[in-house]
Amino acid sequence: MPKVLEIDSKNCSGCAEDNWKCCFSPEEREGFKTLGNGSSGDVLGFKNIAVKSVDLDPLRPKSPSEAHDLDKRKAAAEIALWRFTTQEAPIAKVMSNKGVGPKVFEIFISENDNYGVIKMERLSESFAHALPKIKTIEQLSEVEKLIDQKLNLLIDAGYTCVDMRPENIMILRDDHDLIDDVALIDFGDNFCSIHGDADPTPAHASKIG
């Protein structure tokens, strides 16, 4: 049985957007650019941070005529919250702590608009972008070893993930512009499964060191 990651709530209000973005500074809100749109949520970026927002009320009424189907909306919201607290957020936290994925700085739920939010390190160069620049088999082999190391760390932590595409592998470079490390991204609950006794504890992950 997957363990539930207890996540702190925040009141994100008091700005023009009146949603989860209010928990970020005016500079961040004005600078947010869309980095990607996925089935489980959108990713925005500003300077060196990326923010994934997950709608925890996926059947929220778009018009007054939809508001009457309360039972259906409640069930969808419960499923979305379960997926976020047992898969999406714990996997992001594990990947951060194990050095497999981007560093996660904060995870919280915006209580006024019911969105799950993951604030993390922004990585800008994918393996798909870097691949044409790799000129030798030796260089490619080194990158493959780094990817294997990350996957093994994730498996050891109790997670098995698929959807291994060059777009989902990010490249980190050293001061000499050489490939120094890799990070895996976009492994939400659509592409990851839990095996063994994966444990997302400690319970409160709103501030992750």
Side-chain angles (χ1 to χ4, degrees), residues 57-163:
D57 188 4
L59 293 183
R60 67 180 71 231
K62 306 297 188 296
S63 66
S65 63
E66 297 180 15
H68 69 278
D69 199 351
L70 187 59
D71 289 341
K72 189 174 181 180
R73 286 173 46 218
K74 281 184 176 179
E78 289 176 1
I79 292 171
L81 180 63
W82 173 255
R83 291 172 68 177
F84 185 72
T85 57
T86 63
Q87 293 238 338
E88 186 84 18
I91 289 171
K93 178 177 177 292
V94 167
M95 290 175 71
S96 172
N97 290 346
K98 297 291 185 181
V100 175
K103 296 175 183 176
V104 172
F105 305 123
E106 188 176 13
I107 301 175
F108 65 90
I109 292 175
S110 172
E111 60 187 25
N112 51 306
D113 62 342
N114 202 21
Y115 267 77
V117 179
I118 303 175
K119 178 182 178 182
M120 65 193 118
E121 172 188 24
R122 179 180 180 179
L123 302 175
S124 57
E125 184 182 11
S126 71
F127 185 36
H129 181 265
L131 192 55
K133 306 174 188 176
I134 297 176
K135 304 301 182 183
T136 68
I137 295 297
E138 289 77 13
Q139 290 175 325
L140 184 60
S141 178
E142 287 301 314
V143 176
E144 289 175 344
K145 288 179 183 178
L146 291 171
I147 296 170
D148 284 344
Q149 290 171 5
K150 301 298 181 179
L151 288 174
N152 286 329
L153 286 171
L154 198 58
I155 291 169
D156 290 344
Y159 295 90
T160 300
C161 297
V162 295
D163 195 31

